Amino acid sequence: MIGRDLLGIEDLPRDDIERILDTAERMREIGGRVVKKVPTLRGRTMVNLFFEASTRTRSSFEIAGKRLSADVVNFSPASSSLKKSESILDTARTLDAMDPDLVVVRHSVAGVPKRIADVLTAPVVNAGDGAHEHPTQALLDLLTVRQEKGRIEGLTVTIVGDILNSRVARSNIYGFRKMGAEVRIAAPPPMVPPHVEALGVKVFTSLRDALSGADVVMALRIQTERLSGACIPSVREYSATFGIDRAKLHYAKDDAIVMHPGPVNRGVELSHELTDDRPSVILDQVRNGVAIRMAVLYLFAGRRSQPSRGGAA
Ligand code: CP
């Protein structure tokens, strides 16, 4: 039995990860049809509660809901009563009183989806909270690697870049470790979180060593919106040392794939060429994002059989 909320990969058992990936494999076929819609969640309502900017996650949750025939509400903070000083928790409680079957939350502060989940009757899915976790991104990354390599167990995955400020790195470290991969991280020392080795990763400051024998190379965006102070001397120096291009990719296995969660700072963490061409699988990641979010909606939103409450607020 899968849990009520999806707040992170840290507490998600391996069996649940496999169940979500297997469900997503079946959902992916719907995206290849002429009529991309099934009645699975007809009559169910999901709310997209995004307090922070997003292109991929928000759009793919919306498309996923519509492909499953759910009614999708996109909450817009800019035109809401947040502008009249209503709190985030009161906003969430208000929407919950309208009996949605699932609420998707993104916020720039770590822990907000959990705070909301604690006061809601509807299940909550974390769509990214600060530098904490981005569970559906890790799930779509796992799905993409499983598709490309036929397995995850035993692979070597090297994550390069701003690990300190990256929720994607954290969720992927948990996910790939749980699924039996070796995870390496490569970054300038100020971008390495303290005690990260405790998560079971190997830390490298030499990109060449980190890429040697890697099956998967995952470049991360420098999170300028979360940088506190000058972590790196200059973007140009960062790019020269840790930016991935074809020459540096030669350190990895011949059949290594290149991933990036997006959006890409082209020419900084990834060359233009590797952003657009194989072995980059960036657009496969985006496509799999819809399938993973369909699977998550199906598994987490399809449960409620009664409205949450009938009494006065
Ligand atoms: N990968 C990711 O979360 O992208 P968005 O910010 O565009 O949703």
Side-chain angles (χ1 to χ4, degrees):
M1 185 66 181
I2 220 152
R4 189 195 78 146
D5 306 303
L6 178 57
L7 298 175
I9 302 293
E10 183 177 8
D11 296 323
L12 196 65
R14 177 175 170 149
D15 283 354
D16 288 358
I17 294 175
E18 282 174 351
R19 188 165 166 209
I20 294 168
L21 300 187
D22 292 345
T23 307
E25 294 277 8
R26 296 196 294 277
M27 295 295 180
R28 201 170 41 208
E29 179 268 325
I30 296 167
R33 297 182 191 171
V34 176
V35 178
K36 301 174 181 60
K37 206 172 186 71
V38 293
T40 313
L41 293 182
R42 190 166 55 204
R44 308 279 171 159
T45 304
M46 63 169 282
V47 177
N48 267 334
L49 197 51
F50 278 58
F51 299 97
E52 189 192 61
S54 167
T55 296
R56 292 151 198 78
T57 313
R58 181 174 157 152
S59 306
S60 58
F61 266 113
E62 182 174 353
I63 288 171
K66 288 178 173 171
R67 285 194 179 160
L68 293 172
S69 300
D71 297 311
V72 181
V73 176
N74 288 310
F75 171 83
S76 168
S79 58
S80 75
S81 288
L82 287 166
K83 293 287 171 198
K84 301 177 213 163
S85 302
E86 187 164 39
S87 72
I88 288 174
L89 288 184
D90 282 344
T91 300
R93 281 190 194 98
T94 299
L95 293 166
D96 195 45
M98 299 177 199
D99 291 321
D101 297 281
L102 185 120
V103 177
V104 180
V105 180
R106 169 172 284 193
H107 200 282
S108 57
V109 175
V112 168
K114 167 82 169 77
R115 290 286 311 279
I116 290 177
D118 287 344
V119 300
L120 257 57
T121 52
V124 171
V125 174
N126 179 4
D129 60 328
H132 175 226
E133 282 232 35
H134 192 350
T136 57
Q137 177 70 46
L139 290 165
L140 73 88
D141 290 338
L142 289 166
L143 182 65
T144 305
V145 169
R146 197 171 79 167
Q147 239 171 40
E148 287 288 325
K149 299 290 178 190
R151 67 190 166 99
I152 299 169
E153 182 111 37
L155 295 180
T156 298
V157 178
T158 300
I159 306 176
V160 184
D162 184 5
I163 315 292
L164 180 69
N165 293 293
S166 175
R167 55 196 178 208
V168 174
R170 203 171 308 275
S171 289
N172 266 316
I173 288 169
Y174 291 129
F176 279 101
R177 291 294 298 130
K178 282 184 188 198
M179 299 300 287
E182 176 184 318
V183 179
R184 302 173 180 175
I185 61 171
M191 289 183 168
V192 177
H195 314 302
V196 70
E197 294 91 345
L199 302 182
V201 301
K202 295 181 182 169
V203 180
F204 295 78
T205 48
S206 154
L207 183 65
R208 183 177 192 141
D209 292 345
L211 293 183
S212 174
D215 300 281
V216 176
V217 180
M218 185 181 295
L220 296 178
R221 185 172 66 92
I222 298 181
Q223 310 267 309
T224 46
E225 72 274 31
R226 281 191 262 282
L227 287 182
S228 53
C231 274
I232 48 171
S234 73
V235 170
R236 178 186 278 196
E237 185 175 325
Y238 175 86
S239 179
T241 315
F242 287 98
I244 312 289
D245 56 17
R246 285 219 186 265
K248 294 195 191 101
L249 190 60
H250 278 128
Y251 303 142
K253 280 190 180 163
D254 289 345
D255 63 350
I257 57 169
V258 174
M259 306 179 78
H260 193 300
V264 178
N265 296 308
R266 284 173 176 259
V268 179
E269 64 262 6
L270 207 53
S271 67
H272 285 269
E273 189 193 7
L274 276 185
T275 303
D276 294 325
D277 299 329
R278 296 285 297 183
S280 158
V281 294
I282 293 171
L283 293 182
D284 299 297
Q285 292 172 260
V286 173
R287 199 165 289 114
N288 282 332
V290 178
I292 281 291
R293 285 154 188 144
M294 287 172 78
V296 166
L297 295 182
Y298 170 70
L299 293 169
F300 288 82
R303 299 213 194 124
R304 183 182 272 186
S305 56
Q306 298 287 329
S308 57
R309 59 171 104 70

